[in-house]
Amino acid sequence: MGAVLFSLAVPAMASFVERSAVTAAHNDLRGAVAFARNQAIQLATPVTVCASVDQQRCSDGGDWHRGWMAFTDRGTANVPDGDDEILRNWTPPSRPRLAITPTEGQRTLRFSPRGSTLPTGAASGWQLQPVDFAAGSDLRHELFVSPLGDVRLKRTPCN
């Protein structure tokens, strides 16, 4: 009897862990977007969020699953340089086998001092899901940022 209950509980627990990892990474990324937008408005200067492996420079490959950072973007656009200040870093999600893929392949998300995205009219987004997943499972989160800086979430089946 105990073995039967255990065999039923293990898959449910694995799904719970996967769902929790995706939700945590989604919340961190959504928080980073809100933080960057708010800082751009508060500091009256462009602020960028980018994928970052070392939390000092933007990653060329857009490795969002390895962490990200927000920085003032006063100098060269989308590059943290001498005129900029790193405002905050987010370490990689606790689950290393989590895919965080930009929907348009963007390396950065930049906000104007008014809180809208730069370049004007640009929308951004990411898909977050476990690397190991059952097709059709509802573990994928899609995070969208409108040109006005509004954020919304959509849950869709993994494919």
Side-chain angles (χ1 to χ4, degrees):
M1 177 81 165
V4 172
L5 290 176
F6 182 75
S7 67
L8 293 173
V10 169
M13 186 60 162
S15 178
F16 173 77
V17 168
E18 298 289 339
R19 187 177 317 281
S20 295
V22 173
T23 300
H26 164 264
N27 289 342
D28 284 350
L29 188 54
R30 185 178 187 144
V33 169
F35 174 82
R37 183 173 186 261
N38 288 339
Q39 288 297 297
I41 294 167
Q42 186 176 20
L43 299 173
T45 192
V47 172
T48 296
V49 177
C50 70
S52 179
V53 175
D54 63 4
Q55 281 70 48
Q56 297 297 313
R57 296 179 303 261
C58 294
S59 302
D60 289 335
D63 297 328
W64 289 90
H65 68 281
R66 299 192 55 196
W68 49 87
M69 66 181 206
F71 61 94
T72 59
D73 203 355
R74 297 179 185 106
T76 305
N78 300 316
V79 177
D81 53 29
D83 295 330
D84 301 325
E85 175 187 353
I86 296 174
L87 300 170
R88 186 160 174 209
N89 292 305
W90 287 263
T91 57
S94 60
R95 179 158 167 69
R97 300 200 33 87
L98 185 68
I100 303 174
T101 310
T103 55
E104 301 298 322
Q106 77 269 9
R107 284 184 337 106
T108 64
L109 172 61
R110 189 170 189 236
F111 289 102
S112 76
R114 293 181 178 225
S116 59
T117 59
L118 292 171
T120 302
S124 294
W126 296 266
Q127 296 175 348
L128 298 87
Q129 71 182 31
V131 172
D132 302 317
F133 57 87
S137 63
D138 64 345
L139 297 175
R140 175 188 278 176
H141 288 205
E142 295 181 2
L143 181 72
F144 297 100
V145 182
S146 77
L148 296 176
D150 298 322
V151 180
R152 64 186 163 96
L153 164 70
K154 180 179 175 186
R155 289 189 179 148
T156 61
C158 297
N159 56 11

